[in-house]
Amino acid sequence: QVQLVESGGGLVQAGGSLRLSCAVSGRTFSRYAMGWFRQTPGKEREFVAGIKWSGGSTWYGDSVRGRFTISRDNAKDTVYLRMINLRPEDTAVYYCAMDAVLFRSEVPTLETQYNYWGQGTRVTVGS
């Protein structure tokens, strides 16, 4: 019954910004790390960003570090991904994911460490 619903994707020109949101229901949100992944046709799902259950630490994929920011609002059961200075290579379907383990001490970065996923939201960055 756990559900993750992403929103905020769309079309933006290179150099532009977007903020993605992921609303979670059916599970105690504040006890689990959250992450964002992205995927393009023919490529493996790529880790983008993760945030600890407490919000006290974050981690980013090399390709987005310095441009993207993950945050969470436990009162709203929502995790966000702010993306700035977008590039055409950022074009992908972005997926929100919830950790499989309570109170994990480190930010999970592997797809196998997450067991609940949203349906994805499309981000297209033009030239």
Side-chain angles (χ1 to χ4, degrees):
Q1 295 182 358
V2 177
Q3 187 174 12
L4 285 66
V5 180
E6 302 97 333
S7 62
L11 174 64
V12 65
Q13 296 302 305
S17 302
L18 286 172
R19 189 180 77 158
L20 308 183
S21 299
C22 174
V24 178
S25 62
R27 204 184 191 199
T28 305
F29 176 79
S30 62
R31 299 177 181 179
Y32 297 89
M34 298 293 298
W36 288 94
F37 290 75
R38 66 187 183 186
Q39 190 168 28
T40 57
K43 294 186 177 181
E44 294 183 340
R45 190 165 295 185
E46 176 189 14
F47 173 76
V48 174
I51 186 166
K52 192 178 178 181
W53 61 270
S54 65
S57 61
T58 59
W59 194 251
Y60 297 91
D62 291 342
S63 63
V64 307
R65 187 174 293 112
R67 298 187 298 119
F68 292 10
T69 303
I70 187 171
S71 62
R72 66 192 300 159
D73 186 342
N74 288 346
K76 296 181 178 180
D77 290 350
T78 301
V79 63
Y80 304 94
L81 184 69
R82 183 187 179 220
M83 307 182 293
I84 64 171
N85 298 325
L86 284 162
R87 305 165 180 169
E89 53 263 43
D90 295 318
T91 295
V93 177
Y94 284 72
Y95 296 92
C96 177
M98 177 173 272
D99 195 3
V101 177
L102 284 165
F103 303 124
R104 195 191 295 270
S105 61
E106 302 289 339
V107 177
T109 61
L110 303 178
E111 183 178 351
T112 55
Q113 293 178 296
Y114 295 85
N115 69 346
Y116 291 100
W117 297 83
Q119 295 300 306
T121 185
R122 293 182 179 272
V123 172
T124 302
V125 184
S127 300

